[in-house]
Amino acid sequence: MKGKLVIFTAPSGAGKTTIVRHLLNKIDLLDFSVSATSRRKREHEEDGKDYYFLTPSEFRKKINNGEFLEWEEVYEGQFYGTLKSEINRLWEEGKHIIFDIDVKGALNIKNTYPDNSLAVFVKPPSPEILFDRLSKRGTETPESYRKRVKRATLELTYENKFDISLMNDVLKTALQEAEKIVGDYLKIG
Ligand code: 5GP
């Protein structure tokens, strides 16, 4: 039987990656959908673990071959996408799958698998707090920070399109709530 899909989405900087990592540590039957991207690898990231890092032309080739379940140009010139092969690999291992994905990709996956997916929107306490977190993260250049703020402003308007909103104000509380939401959905714990 195919496992369930747990989709975490949020504006960049809202903390969804931290929440997804926490859930992966806590819930054995859950595994991470490693996306493909054409953006540059950050120092602490590992190819095949955080992302499959592709060149723009490798990425385009996979689009043309129909290898993606969904893909988006999340930032200008930076592509991100979910490979069909990744989902099948995890399902064959008997896993439920968790996604860390942008709002449009999340809606795509939700619409493709409406009966076995849960989409959770992680929201910051306020847009100002989000922009502040993003600037303190130290991963962005002034140009990429500007792009992310613009994108996050759009993404915040998507909140009511998802099954559940999860406020990430105090991280510890957000992690507990995330465990409860996902545990209930998978009927574990
Ligand atoms: P980052 O560059 O910070 O790792 O990710 C930028 C944005 O792209 C985040 O919102 C992240 O969740 C999203 N993203 C990551 N993988 C995918 C994917 O496979 N598809 C889509 N549509 N978005 C993704």
Side-chain angles (χ1 to χ4, degrees):
M1 205 191 88
K2 284 179 177 170
K4 293 182 181 176
L5 306 179
V6 178
I7 307 161
F8 271 77
T9 189
S12 187
K16 71 179 176 308
T17 304
T18 308
I19 294 174
V20 166
R21 298 282 158 209
H22 174 80
L23 292 170
L24 282 163
N25 278 332
K26 286 274 171 182
I27 304 175
D28 278 349
L29 270 178
L30 205 53
D31 212 338
F32 183 57
S33 164
V34 179
S35 296
T37 184
S38 68
R39 85 145 157 74
R40 271 209 308 265
K41 194 166 85 61
R42 294 176 187 148
E43 214 171 284
H44 63 278
E45 289 177 327
E46 232 179 88
D47 188 32
K49 184 166 170 268
D50 297 287
Y51 283 105
Y52 299 111
F53 291 96
L54 305 179
T55 64
S57 79
E58 287 169 335
F59 202 103
R60 242 172 273 123
K61 206 165 147 197
K62 288 190 186 298
I63 294 175
N64 293 335
N65 288 344
E67 291 181 50
F68 285 105
L69 176 60
E70 62 76 37
W71 62 271
E72 291 289 329
E73 187 176 5
V74 177
Y75 305 106
E76 205 182 310
Q78 289 181 5
F79 295 85
Y80 295 79
T82 306
L83 290 162
K84 292 175 187 167
S85 56
E86 180 70 2
I87 306 306
N88 290 331
R89 178 179 75 80
L90 296 171
W91 271 340
E92 273 164 25
E93 287 177 14
K95 295 294 177 85
H96 299 302
I97 307 177
I98 189 163
F99 296 79
D100 172 341
I101 194 172
D102 91 307
V103 290
K104 291 186 187 167
L107 285 179
N108 267 328
I109 294 186
K110 178 86 210 162
N111 290 336
T112 309
Y113 298 103
D115 300 330
N116 56 339
S117 66
L118 178 78
V120 183
F121 183 86
V122 180
K123 67 172 186 175
S126 72
E128 292 71 29
I129 289 177
L130 178 72
F131 303 151
D132 189 50
R133 284 181 189 165
L134 203 49
S135 80
K136 287 186 178 141
R137 195 163 78 168
T139 52
E140 309 308 319
T141 63
E143 171 61 11
S144 70
Y145 172 74
R146 195 190 54 75
K147 281 188 193 172
R148 280 178 188 252
V149 165
K150 187 171 164 220
R151 175 84 189 185
T153 306
L154 169 76
E155 290 178 327
L156 283 168
T157 67
Y158 276 63
E159 178 182 354
N160 61 8
K161 299 186 192 297
F162 300 102
D163 299 315
I164 298 185
S165 283
L166 170 64
M167 164 89 85
N168 182 12
D169 184 1
V170 177
L171 180 62
K172 194 171 165 223
T173 311
L175 295 178
Q176 283 167 349
E177 280 175 20
E179 269 181 60
K180 167 105 179 71
I181 290 168
V182 175
D184 285 351
Y185 180 61
L186 300 179
K187 300 202 173 42
I188 50 175

